[in-house]
């Protein structure tokens, strides 16, 4: 029975994508912030050289005989030289009229006096950074204001900034890749406890309804608690129903035995053929019912015991020989000989009562479905796993039903007229599986059924 489960995406993928998305946003923000900061610092560097140049030119301005003389040192402009051959402009104004230099330099809004730095454009469209300052010269009878502009194009600055951007972009990409790797790792390790729980539940045998004991993260505690409660309820319900079946079977068996003995006694007393026939049918029906009740009891006992295996060291060959001895009278009634092929000890750690029950059912089947005067061969082997093979000279399993014969209450077409309840193979299979083994049914090429019971 497999119910389809509605799947809504994958936790692991969602976690990975969220982490990677976060890392991408962080990488972009990092890039923008570092670039902005670098641009500011580079601009500050250019501004301070421009201002130094302005100051040294202003310092060189003097009044000589009422006229302004600015004899500024060569260094005032050469300090601005860059590797990118940036163009440098200057203008010296006396009371807002150009005294010397480049005529297109003026304050940003055209109003004097002006100090500080600002951006401007040359007539040919080049972007320039301008620094300016003013100074008042006082002579004997004159008073005049000198304004100096020094400007520079921004090519070296752009080169530096592009270089920094490239490096930061590389750094950001590296950061992103590393974060992506960490995201995969983080989501995988977050998912691990869920995986562990899933596999520990999936690995369980069908009978195992014990609570989950392995430690789980706190977020999963309530889920696991609910699961444990559910399994506890299921376990209780199951064992209650098994107990009920066992009790019911037991209660039916005893009165059946009484009825049977009365019917048998009656059979000896009546003479009329039709009455005898009816009584025989009755005895047979009673046998069938009491056998079914016995099998139900066995099955309930086995279901209970497979949960609590009482393992002990035992010799499989001894156990088999004992069973064969006990079943020989039944076999003799049909002139069937039971042969055990191996007398070497095969040691196993198993539940003796369960094994006896399972194997008895298998030999019982072989006896029931074999013709008179035939042979049943039983082989015990120790490797690769302890295995018992039982084959007979009957008609074999009905090939089209072979896959289902081990289910509870399933009987083959060849079972018509033969007493049975369809639980024997189910019991044997449960016992094999409880010991970690399996039950395999096959037909021999020359006819006859072969049952392989392994532990
Ligand atoms: N040795 C065998 N040879 C042929 N058929 C068999 C043999 N053992 C079992 N079967 C088939 O498998 C069915 C299921 O077996 P089992 O579970 O023991 O139930 P039951 O013996 O009560 O019918 C039987 O009804 C029969 O059809
Ligand atoms: Mg049977």
């Amino acid at each position: 029975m497999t119910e389809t489960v509605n799947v809504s995406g994958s936790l692991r993928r969602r976690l990975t994508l969220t982490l990677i998305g976060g890392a991408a946003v962080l990488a972009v923000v990092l890039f923008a912030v570092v670039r902005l900061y670098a641009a500011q610092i580079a601009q500050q560097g250019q501004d301070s050289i421009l201002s130094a140049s302005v100051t040294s030119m202003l310092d060189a301005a003097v009044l000589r005989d009422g006229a302004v003389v600015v004899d500024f040192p060569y260094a005032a402009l050469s300090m601005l030289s860059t590797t990118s051959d940036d163009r440098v402009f200057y203008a010296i104004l006396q009371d807002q009229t150009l005294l010397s230099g480049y005529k297109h330099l003026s304050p940003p809004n055209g109003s004097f006096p002006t100090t500080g730095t600002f951006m401007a454009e040359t007539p040919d469209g080049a972007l320039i950074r301008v620094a300016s300052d003013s100074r008042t010269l006082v002579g004997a009878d004159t008073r005049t204001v000198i304004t100096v502009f020094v400007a520079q194009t921004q090519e070296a600055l752009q080169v530096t900034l592009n270089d920094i951007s490239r490096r930061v972009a590389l750094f950001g990409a590296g950061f992103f890749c590393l974060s992506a790797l960490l995201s995969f790792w983080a989501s995988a390790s977050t998912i691990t406890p869920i995986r562990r729980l899933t596999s520990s539940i999936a690995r369980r045998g069908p009978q195992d309804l014990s609570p989950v004991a392995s430690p789980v993260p706190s977020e999963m505690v309530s889920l696991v608690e609910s699961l444990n409660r559910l399994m506890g309820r299921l376990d209780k319900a199951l064992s209650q129903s098994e107990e009920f079946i066992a009790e019911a079977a037991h209660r039916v068996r005893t009165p059946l035995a009484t009825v049977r003995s009365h019917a048998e006694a009656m059979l000896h007393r009546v003479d009329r053929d039709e009455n005898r026939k009816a009584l025989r049918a009755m005895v047979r029906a009673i046998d069938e019912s009491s056998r079914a009740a016995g099998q139900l009891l066995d099955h309930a006992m086995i279901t209970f015991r497979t949960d609590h295996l009482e393992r002990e060291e035992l010799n499989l060959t001894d156990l088999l020989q004992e069973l064969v001895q006990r079943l020989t009278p039944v076999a003799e009634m049909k002139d069937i000989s039971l042969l055990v092929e191996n007398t070497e000890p095969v040691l196993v750690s198993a539940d003796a009562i369960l094994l006896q029950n399972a194997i008895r059912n298998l030999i019982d089947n072989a006896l029931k479905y074999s013709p008179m005067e035939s042979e049943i061969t039983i082989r015990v082997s120790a490797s690769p796993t302890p295995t018992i093979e039982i084959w007979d000279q009957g008609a074999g399993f009905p090939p089209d039903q072979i896959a289902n014969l081990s289910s509870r209450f399933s009987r083959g077409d060849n079972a018509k007229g033969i007493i049975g309840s369809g639980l024997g193979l189910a019991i044997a299979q449960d016992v094999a599986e409880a010991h970690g083994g399996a039950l395999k049914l096959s037909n021999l090429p020359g006819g006859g059924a072969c049952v392989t019971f392994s532990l």
Side-chain angles (χ1 to χ4, degrees):
M1 180 181 66
T2 30
E3 294 277 331
T4 48
V5 175
N6 282 333
V7 180
S8 71
S10 142
L11 265 186
R12 182 176 174 177
R13 194 173 328 130
R14 198 181 301 172
L15 196 62
T16 312
L17 288 182
T18 311
L19 288 173
I20 290 183
V25 171
L26 276 183
V28 170
V29 169
L30 179 84
F31 175 78
V33 168
V34 172
R35 215 203 109 103
L36 196 76
Y37 189 58
Q40 263 174 19
I41 292 193
Q43 192 60 75
Q44 274 167 14
Q46 190 184 33
D47 286 356
S48 61
I49 304 178
L50 282 171
S51 304
S53 169
V54 168
T55 310
S56 80
M57 284 167 81
L58 270 182
D59 283 349
V62 288
L63 268 178
R64 199 172 291 157
D65 305 332
V68 175
V69 176
V70 188
D71 195 7
F72 63 85
Y74 171 71
L77 291 179
S78 72
M79 69 167 84
L80 284 162
S81 72
T82 64
T83 47
S84 306
D85 286 335
D86 273 307
R87 287 181 285 158
V88 176
F89 311 89
Y90 76 91
I92 302 170
L93 286 77
Q94 179 180 8
D95 296 327
Q96 301 177 24
T97 49
L98 187 68
L99 205 62
S100 139
Y102 185 64
K103 64 175 179 213
H104 297 293
L105 288 175
S106 58
N109 45 14
S111 65
F112 284 89
T114 173
T115 57
T117 47
F118 54 91
M119 296 299 300
E121 235 179 65
T122 59
D124 60 2
L127 211 57
I128 49 174
R129 184 74 175 173
V130 191
S132 67
D133 206 353
S134 309
R135 186 175 155 211
T136 310
L137 297 181
V138 183
D141 46 2
T142 44
R143 188 184 171 84
T144 180
V145 176
I146 303 292
T147 304
V148 171
F149 292 93
V150 177
Q152 186 181 30
T153 52
Q154 295 213 291
E155 265 140 45
L157 188 113
Q158 271 316 321
V159 170
T160 314
L161 266 185
N162 289 343
D163 190 43
I164 290 177
S165 299
R166 220 174 16 250
R167 279 162 204 262
V168 175
L170 269 178
F171 179 71
F175 170 81
F176 173 74
C177 290
L178 202 70
S179 308
L181 283 181
L182 283 176
S183 308
F184 282 114
W185 173 77
S187 52
S189 79
T190 310
I191 283 312
T192 305
I194 301 181
R195 283 247 167 91
R196 216 183 299 132
L197 180 69
T198 311
S199 78
S200 95
I201 291 176
R203 263 205 321 269
R204 288 174 171 224
Q207 317 278 352
D208 187 357
L209 292 172
S210 60
V212 174
S214 50
V216 292
S218 57
E219 290 82 356
M220 284 163 66
V221 166
S222 57
L223 171 72
V224 171
E225 274 173 357
S226 316
L227 197 68
N228 284 347
R229 273 198 298 275
L230 182 71
M231 288 205 281
R233 283 204 300 275
L234 208 61
D235 197 24
K236 205 166 150 206
L238 268 183
S239 62
Q240 268 172 356
S241 71
E242 295 293 349
E243 268 164 33
F244 176 79
I245 292 171
E247 176 72 23
H250 185 71
R251 281 179 187 242
V252 166
R253 247 192 348 180
T254 325
L256 274 180
T258 319
V259 176
R260 189 186 196 280
S261 61
H262 284 311
E264 287 244 280
M266 198 81 133
L267 194 60
H268 294 300
R269 271 185 268 141
V270 296
D271 293 327
R272 278 180 62 187
D273 249 9
E274 58 194 79
N275 288 350
R276 290 179 70 87
K277 222 170 122 189
L279 275 172
R280 269 202 209 94
M282 193 168 146
V283 170
R284 196 187 149 79
I286 294 168
D287 280 347
E288 195 139 344
S289 315
S290 79
R291 205 190 139 78
Q295 290 280 72
L296 279 173
L297 251 174
D298 280 352
H299 190 269
M301 183 270 290
I302 273 151
T303 313
F304 176 75
R305 265 185 100 105
T306 46
D307 283 347
H308 316 86
L309 281 188
E310 284 175 27
R311 285 184 189 261
E312 57 186 292
E313 283 296 320
L314 50 92
N315 182 353
L316 216 50
T317 318
D318 282 355
L319 186 134
L320 250 168
Q321 250 145 7
E322 210 184 293
L323 267 174
V324 165
Q325 229 169 38
R326 239 196 289 155
L327 288 169
T328 304
V330 187
E332 276 169 355
M333 289 202 289
K334 279 180 86 177
D335 271 336
I336 294 177
S337 44
L338 286 168
L339 307 172
V340 179
E341 271 202 348
N342 178 22
T343 48
E344 305 286 308
V346 173
L347 294 178
V348 290
S349 149
D351 190 315
I353 294 189
L354 292 188
L355 278 194
Q356 267 167 2
N357 208 308
I359 299 163
R360 183 164 35 75
N361 272 296
L362 297 179
I363 301 181
D364 214 45
N365 278 350
L367 288 171
K368 279 200 302 190
Y369 301 104
S370 289
M372 307 278 287
E373 296 174 30
S374 60
E375 275 181 4
I376 295 171
T377 316
I378 305 168
R379 179 190 292 159
V380 201
S381 51
S383 64
T385 51
T387 303
I388 298 172
E389 284 170 288
I390 302 170
W391 65 88
D392 58 48
Q393 297 175 333
F397 298 102
D400 53 328
Q401 295 176 313
I402 201 162
N404 298 320
L405 291 177
S406 315
S407 334
R408 288 187 196 191
F409 302 113
S410 136
R411 304 199 70 201
D413 290 339
N414 61 337
K416 282 196 191 96
I418 297 177
I419 289 181
S421 53
L423 282 171
L425 293 180
I427 288 174
Q429 173 162 293
D430 283 355
V431 170
E433 282 174 0
H435 287 85
L439 182 77
K440 248 177 40 207
L441 309 180
S442 56
N443 284 326
L444 297 169
C450 177
V451 182
T452 312
F453 177 91
S454 62
L455 293 176

